[in-house]
Amino acid sequence: MSEYKIETKCIQSGWHPKKGEPRVLPIYQSTTFKYDTSDQMGRLFDLEDSGYFYTRLQNPTNDAVAQKICELEGGVAAMLTSSGQAANYYAVFNICETGDHMVCSSSVYGGTFNLFGATLKKQGIDCTFIDPDASEEEIAAVFRPNTKVLFAETIANPALVVLDIEKFARAAHKHGVPLIVDNTFATPINCRPFEWGADIVTHSTTKYMDGHAMCVGGCIVDSGNFDWTQYGDKFPGLTKPDPTYHGIVYTEKFGKGAYITKATAQIMRDLGSIQSPQNAFLLNVGLETLHLRMPRHCENAKKVAEFLNSHEKVAWVNYAGLPDNRYHALAEKYMPNGTCGVISFGLKGGREVSVSFMDQLELIAIVTHVADARTCVLHPASHTHRQMTDEQLVEAGVAPDLIRLSVGLENAGDIIADLTQALEHI
Ligand SMILES: *Cc1c(COP(=O)(O)O)cnc(C)c1O
C-alpha cells in the first residue's frame, strides 16, 4: 500500500479481504483461536510460527487497524494499546528498565508528565524534563550514560508548543538513543515525524483518529530506522537473549520488527493493556475520514483563532496557525497543511472571567476531552490542573486564565456566534 497517497491509505490500508471474505473489516470478537494439533499451537508460543492464539497478544481486527496507522505514519510495524497512556508507557518501558534514565520535553500532556515524572520513578526509571525550546547544547547537557530515550510531543497538549523534530532527533541520535514522538494532535495527516528523524511514534487514538469521542485507545508505531544492535549494550532487552522466550534475541530473529515484536510478545503479554477489537473497529471507521476531518478542524480553528485574536475582551490567543505565533515558523516547516483544531486563549480580567465566560456557552460544551467532532472547552486551572497553585500552573506552562478550546467540525459561523454571545455576557 506504500505507493498510495495518504487519503487512499486512510480508506484502504490494513484490511485486504480475499475471495468471499467481508468487504468491511470484521470485529473478531473472540478471545481465542482454534488449532488442529498441539504442535501447531506450541510453535506459536515459541514464536516459531506467527498466528493468533489469544487476543491479549494479537487479534486480527486490532492488527488490521494497527497496520493502517503504520502505513499512515510510514512505519514498519505497529501495535494498538488500550489507551494513549498505555502506548506511551509501553513505548518507553520496552527499552528502559530500573536504573535507566530518560529525557522528556517539559511541554507534554499532564498524564504523560505524571507517568514519566512520578510513576516511572517508582519503577526506578529517572526522567529529566527539558524545555522544548532549549538549544541543542542545553539538551545534550542533560543526557547521562544511562539515558535510553528522548521523548516529546509534535504539538504539545495543552501548551500547543510545536516541536523542532529535527533538533530533537539530532540530540537523541548524537547520544545513541531513539526519539519517541507523541503525534496525537498533528496526526499523520498533518505531520509524519519519521520523515524528520523520529524513530518511534505514539498516539492517543482517543483524539482525532477516533474523532468522535467514542473510544479510549492508543497506538505505537516503529519506523524501523533505529539500529539497536549498534548500541547493543544499551538495549539488552532487544539485543540479548530473552529467557522468557527460550532465549530468543529480538533483533536477530525479527530485524526491523524487533521493537514491536518485543513490545507485543513480552510487555503486552505481561501487562495486558490490549485494545478491545470492538473499539479497534470503531477506530477504523474514524480513520477512514481522518484525511477529510483534519483539514476542516484546522480551517475552523484558524477562523476561530482569528476571531478571538481581534476581539477586545480577549487578552491573548495561542494558535500556531496565526502568523504572529511564536511557533508559526516551525508549524509552517513541519505542518504546512495545518496543525490541529486546538486553540488556547485567555480573557482580560483573568481566571474568574474565564470561568464565567465558559458558563455562558450554549453550543460549545464543557467536557474533559479534545480533538473530536464537537467543539468543547476546558479550563485547566479549574479542571485537569485543579490541585496546582497559580505559580505551579505558570511553571507547567498553563496560565491560570488559559481556556483550551477544541474546535470541532460544526459550521465555523455557529461556533463564532456562540463565542460572541458568551463574550457579550462578561
Ligand atoms: C490524551 C493524550 C494522551 C493520553 O491518551 P489517553 O488515550 O487519554 O490515555 C497522551 N498524549 C497526548 C498528547 C494526549 O492528548
Side-chain angles (χ1 to χ4, degrees):
M1 280 264 142
S2 55
E3 68 276 19
Y4 289 116
K5 298 283 187 291
I6 201 152
E7 297 83 357
T8 308
K9 291 179 184 177
C10 279
I11 311 274
Q12 297 281 354
S13 287
W15 175 245
H16 304 289
K18 297 181 206 65
K19 178 168 171 272
E21 287 185 343
R23 181 66 193 93
V24 173
L25 171 66
I27 308 171
Y28 283 86
Q29 194 70 45
S30 182
T31 59
T32 45
F33 301 83
K34 177 190 169 285
Y35 288 89
D36 291 334
T37 69
S38 173
D39 182 56
Q40 285 173 350
M41 179 89 83
R43 290 178 63 78
L44 297 176
F45 275 91
D46 285 351
L47 301 184
E48 282 302 325
D49 284 344
S50 77
Y52 298 101
F53 52 100
Y54 191 58
T55 283
R56 170 155 34 82
L57 285 113
Q58 280 189 295
N59 173 284
T61 307
N62 290 17
D63 281 3
V65 180
Q67 180 59 28
K68 177 177 280 187
I69 297 173
C70 185
E71 290 178 25
L72 292 175
E73 286 288 3
V76 297
M79 68 192 284
L80 298 188
T81 57
S82 58
S83 67
Q85 285 299 109
N88 285 335
Y89 177 37
Y90 286 17
V92 167
F93 196 57
N94 200 31
I95 45 176
C96 281
E97 53 188 55
T98 301
D100 285 343
H101 173 252
M102 65 178 291
V103 180
C104 182
S105 161
S106 56
S107 273
V108 286
Y109 176 66
T112 307
F113 190 81
N114 287 335
L115 170 65
F116 295 160
T119 300
L120 279 190
K121 202 180 175 80
K122 292 179 196 159
Q123 301 187 347
I125 298 163
D126 220 16
C127 181
T128 304
F129 291 97
I130 175 97
D131 182 345
D133 296 331
S135 69
E136 239 170 290
E137 294 69 38
E138 288 168 318
I139 300 172
V142 302
F143 276 77
R144 304 175 190 167
N146 61 340
T147 304
K148 303 293 171 76
V149 169
L150 179 60
F151 188 102
E153 293 176 5
T154 330
I155 306 171
N157 175 11
L160 304 178
V161 170
V162 176
L163 183 71
D164 188 342
I165 306 173
E166 286 188 316
K167 177 179 76 178
F168 264 60
R170 274 194 307 272
H173 297 158
K174 239 178 236 169
H175 293 87
V177 308
L179 171 63
I180 303 182
V181 171
D182 180 333
N183 196 31
T184 297
F185 268 21
T187 83
I189 300 301
N190 285 342
C191 182
R192 288 173 298 283
F194 295 157
E195 294 173 3
W196 304 99
D199 301 288
I200 292 151
V201 156
T202 60
H203 282 280
S204 166
T205 61
T206 317
K207 313 292 165 52
Y208 288 117
M209 282 191 169
D210 170 305
H212 303 80
M214 293 187 297
C215 302
V216 175
C219 185
I220 308 173
V221 190
D222 182 14
S223 68
N225 291 337
F226 193 82
D227 184 1
W228 310 102
T229 57
Q230 201 186 330
Y231 312 97
D233 291 341
K234 251 189 189 161
F235 304 104
L238 284 158
T239 61
K240 303 269 164 15
D242 178 0
T244 72
Y245 264 117
H246 316 296
I248 67 159
V249 175
Y250 291 100
T251 46
E252 276 175 14
K253 196 160 168 71
F254 300 102
K256 283 185 180 297
Y259 175 87
I260 291 292
T261 304
K262 177 178 178 288
T264 300
Q266 188 191 73
I267 309 285
M268 187 63 84
R269 177 196 64 187
D270 296 349
L271 299 179
S273 308
I274 194 68
Q275 187 162 132
S276 82
Q278 179 89 39
N279 281 5
F281 172 85
L282 291 168
L283 169 58
N284 187 51
V285 176
L287 287 168
E288 289 186 0
T289 57
L290 187 64
H291 63 296
L292 294 175
R293 292 184 286 106
M294 286 313 291
R296 180 60 71 89
H297 277 293
C298 293
E299 189 187 316
N300 278 358
K302 187 138 190 279
K303 287 180 187 161
V304 170
E306 282 164 356
F307 161 78
L308 290 170
N309 212 24
S310 63
H311 199 285
E312 55 178 16
K313 290 186 180 173
V314 175
W316 57 271
V317 179
N318 183 13
Y319 185 64
L322 292 176
D324 63 350
N325 187 271
R326 186 172 173 201
Y327 297 102
H328 188 68
L330 283 175
E332 290 275 285
K333 172 177 173 178
Y334 292 111
M335 299 158 223
N337 298 326
T339 53
C340 66
V342 184
I343 295 171
S344 63
F345 67 99
L347 297 176
K348 289 178 184 163
R351 190 176 179 141
E352 286 70 34
V353 177
S354 292
V355 170
S356 61
F357 159 78
M358 285 172 55
D359 290 345
Q360 299 295 332
L361 293 166
E362 288 165 5
L363 176 71
I364 302 169
I366 301 172
V367 300
T368 304
H369 202 253
V370 276
D372 70 77
R374 283 162 286 266
T375 300
C376 60
V377 277
L378 184 83
H379 182 232
S382 309
H383 306 133
T384 49
H385 295 61
R386 193 179 177 86
Q387 74 286 359
M388 292 187 176
T389 64
D390 278 11
E391 287 99 68
Q392 285 174 323
L393 285 170
V394 171
E395 245 170 67
V398 181
D401 64 340
L402 184 150
I403 298 170
R404 187 181 69 184
L405 175 66
S406 174
V407 180
L409 300 175
E410 302 93 339
N411 177 284
D414 288 340
I415 299 168
I416 290 170
D418 193 29
L419 293 167
T420 305
Q421 67 78 21
L423 284 165
E424 272 164 14
H425 278 91
I426 56 166

